[in-house]
Amino acid sequence: MHFLDDSLLPENQQKLVIQVAPYGPEWLPGDSDDIPVTMDEQVQKAVDCYNAGAQVLHIHVRELDGHGSKRMSMFNEMMGRLREAVPQMTLQVGGSISFAPENTGEEAKWLDNDTRHLLAELQPRPDQVTIAINTNQMNIVEMMSEDDYAGTSFENPQIYRAYRDMVIPAGPDFYLEHLKRLTANGIQPHFMLATIAQLETVERLIRRGHYTGPLVLNYVGIGGGASGTHPADLLEFARRTPDGAVLTVESIMRSTLPMNTIAIALGLHVRVGIEDNLWSPRKERITSVQQVEQLVRIADELGRDVATPEEAKRLYRIGEHWSTADETLEYLGLPPNRRPGERGVPMRHPAPQGVPALV
């Protein structure tokens, strides 16, 4: 992304999109007072987050026993009820389905590819499904302190190790097929990218025509195989992100608020919710709704307009898809692919050749 002299002025920035993740599949109901369990509670949580100012809902589904659901029937029921309860929200299903271990001592792992591909068949269709690119460590406890998980199930050494050793399986066999199925069913992939190397892989997918649609992505700053919270890394990732992409910043625990404040100031977008963070800056428990309200206040102090749900959908370009790699590169503001025999950096509109020099 390019930052011009006036890029930090709020009137020149995109309206802010707030993504909320209120379901927290890694946590058990006793870990927080803010974990909805019944279907009614899960739907009401979406309504509350919407009323607080969030436009995008990151969805996981929980069974009545408190564990994350892996049943497509539960996801279908949740989607149907959410379409009625919060029809204006962008509904984004978490592509991990549920990585939480069902019993103490089990691994925290993502499900097999065949099961993950079923997210492309949900009815009603979600607007988005998140997708990881390239197999990667996902040690979500690496950046947590003991204070962060005090009083939660993570104090159990077996559960702690399960999340410490978790890996995201996301190689080419998975993501090529998953992108094909999502786009065939009119579902937009929301790319969850942990490093610049993964961003480069996505650009290669676009240049080779494997994905020809809007580029909506999260910068995942949670450590443990993903990026951390060094501001310079975030700035470099933003600099390498195409101008036509939409970039949201995601972090972990009490780093979430300062990272999101930086994002708001830069004109980027934000994610909050108990899936990422349980704590206020002063180490008091904070709900997903309170986190949304907090960012609305900060945006107001910085003069940054908050998008309406309809504006968020237009910014995400929900429902759009393009035909060719060249068209996608043009929309995203990336240089075109190199033509045979072309030297130098390919340009969309090269300067005329052979113009006499001024004397």
Side-chain angles (χ1 to χ4, degrees):
M1 291 179 167
H2 289 84
F3 289 88
L4 308 178
D5 288 344
D6 59 1
S7 290
L8 299 186
L9 302 181
E11 66 267 23
N12 297 325
Q13 295 176 334
Q14 294 175 337
K15 292 187 178 182
L16 179 67
V17 175
I18 300 173
Q19 185 185 133
V20 63
Y23 299 117
E26 74 273 34
W27 305 114
L28 296 176
D31 293 341
S32 168
D33 294 333
D34 193 41
I35 294 178
V37 176
T38 69
M39 186 63 71
D40 285 347
E41 290 171 342
Q42 292 175 78
V43 173
Q44 185 60 48
K45 185 61 63 178
V47 173
D48 294 342
C49 289
Y50 169 75
N51 289 336
Q55 310 94 336
V56 180
L57 180 69
H58 181 75
I59 300 165
H60 295 274
V61 183
R62 205 174 286 270
E63 299 278 357
L64 285 176
D65 65 1
H67 288 99
S69 180
K70 300 172 174 64
R71 292 191 292 149
M72 292 301 114
S73 61
M74 289 287 289
F75 277 80
N76 287 334
E77 180 183 354
M78 180 80 151
M79 288 299 305
R81 294 191 58 175
L82 289 172
R83 284 293 183 206
E84 292 185 2
V86 285
Q88 294 178 308
M89 289 192 91
T90 296
L91 300 183
Q92 175 195 101
V93 172
S96 60
I97 306 182
S98 177
F99 49 70
E102 294 200 26
N103 298 297
T104 300
E106 288 186 346
E107 291 182 46
K109 61 183 180 182
W110 292 33
L111 301 187
D112 62 85
N113 288 355
D114 288 340
T115 304
R116 292 158 76 190
H117 291 325
L118 291 176
L119 294 177
E121 308 298 329
L122 292 176
Q123 291 288 349
R125 300 276 194 244
D127 298 298
Q128 297 181 318
V129 169
T130 64
I131 182 170
I133 299 293
N134 294 337
T135 298
N136 200 55
Q137 181 74 36
M138 191 180 177
N139 173 3
I140 66 172
V141 300
E142 182 181 81
M143 289 182 60
M144 291 188 193
S145 67
E146 291 184 4
D147 287 343
D148 287 333
Y149 57 84
T152 75
S153 56
F154 280 34
E155 289 187 316
N156 181 322
Q158 291 177 306
I159 292 178
Y160 182 93
R161 284 196 297 272
Y163 284 107
R164 182 196 65 187
D165 296 336
M166 185 165 60
V167 172
I168 304 171
D173 277 348
F174 165 70
Y175 61 68
L176 290 172
E177 180 63 24
H178 206 52
L179 287 171
K180 186 187 303 180
R181 295 194 190 195
L182 291 176
T183 54
N185 286 305
I187 300 171
Q188 185 182 85
H190 189 115
F191 294 91
M192 310 296 276
L193 304 183
T195 64
I196 288 176
Q198 293 173 4
L199 179 63
E200 290 176 334
T201 294
V202 173
E203 182 175 339
R204 293 184 192 108
L205 292 173
I206 292 168
R207 291 191 175 280
R208 294 168 185 171
H210 295 300
Y211 176 66
T212 53
L215 184 56
V216 184
L217 55 90
N218 274 24
Y219 172 82
V220 183
I222 64 173
S227 296
T229 56
H230 198 301
D233 292 337
L234 168 59
L235 288 168
E236 179 61 13
F237 192 97
R239 192 181 72 82
R240 296 285 296 274
T241 297
D243 291 329
V246 179
L247 176 58
T248 293
V249 174
E250 173 185 342
S251 191
I252 194 164
M253 291 301 181
R254 288 194 301 137
S255 296
T256 300
L257 181 60
M259 290 289 281
N260 277 334
T261 303
I262 293 170
I264 294 173
L266 290 175
L268 309 178
H269 305 279
V270 293
R271 167 170 147 156
V272 290
I274 62 159
E275 183 170 335
D276 304 334
N277 176 40
L278 300 174
W279 302 101
S280 74
R282 293 182 175 86
K283 298 186 180 180
E284 299 164 338
R285 284 295 178 92
I286 188 170
T287 68
S288 295
V289 167
Q290 289 170 334
Q291 291 179 56
V292 173
E293 293 171 337
Q294 191 176 56
L295 292 186
V296 171
R297 291 195 301 271
I298 291 172
D300 183 62
E301 288 293 328
L302 290 172
R304 178 94 180 268
D305 294 329
V306 176
T308 66
E310 295 83 0
E311 289 169 335
K313 286 181 186 291
R314 288 198 295 271
L315 184 64
Y316 274 20
R317 308 183 85 134
I318 297 293
E320 291 190 39
H321 194 73
W322 305 312
S323 301
T324 66
D326 289 341
E327 188 178 18
T328 306
L329 294 169
E330 178 77 18
Y331 273 116
L332 295 179
L334 286 165
N337 284 323
R338 188 180 302 281
R339 293 178 289 274
E342 184 177 27
R343 298 191 178 196
V345 177
M347 298 177 65
R348 287 183 292 278
H349 305 291
Q353 300 296 311
V355 176
L358 296 176
V359 178

